[in-house]
Amino acid sequence: MALFILVLLAMAVPAHAQDAADIADPTVQPVGPPRQLILSDAAIDRRACKRPVIVDDVPYTWDPLEKGVDAAWAAYTAGDFAVSIPVFKKLADVGHPVAQRLMGIVYYFGQGVPVDYRMSLSYFEKAANQGCFAAYAPTAQLYERGEGALLDPGKAYVWYNIAVAHLPESKERIDMIKLREAVAAFLTPAQLEAAQKRSLAFAPKLTVPPDIGDLPEDFFKQP
């Protein structure tokens, strides 16, 4: 299935409705000066981001924790961040990978919160570590730019290379390879070899969805 790489622009409102199988994966209309961030809008990625976690042959899913998500998504698409963001942040903070990816977007563009690249990188990388493809390139970009952390072309190369490995032959893959090779130019041969080994050894580490009974009593309380 083709993967489509989209460019999101700063301080904007999502342009399409919620995928029924996911909580949020917005594209946005450009408003104001652009600050580019590469994200994927492929449905296969959203399903991969939120998959059951098997523990002792028992599947755990995020579905029971997504109460109120439909209303929060409607508020988010309408630009009502005061209502929507607290819902997604609660999910992100207990490990929901798609919510983590969304909070990376929220903090990068300052959607209802101050722009905070450190928080953006933290959420993007948490989602990426869970195998959320759509978080790979943004994580790489932030390390490449030194946004949210010191400049780190080695880590940028790792995440770009992981993204390349998951893309089919396409223009998007060619473009991702160009981004990867651009950061490779800043690495010594030893650093490049180490980054390649890290990317090849990457394996997603999924967070086990918590039991509802382990959550705070006000977890599902709407803002």
Side-chain angles (χ1 to χ4, degrees), residues 165-177:
H166 286 80
L167 282 166
E169 292 297 331
S170 61
K171 181 182 183 301
E172 287 75 27
R173 188 174 190 275
I174 293 171
D175 290 342
M176 194 73 68
I177 290 173

Side-chain angles (χ1 to χ4, degrees), residues 54-79:
I54 309 299
V55 180
D56 296 330
D57 295 326
V58 177
Y60 291 81
T61 74
W62 291 100
D63 297 347
L65 278 67
E66 294 179 0
K67 296 178 182 178
V69 159
D70 288 345
W73 174 246
Y76 183 82
T77 58

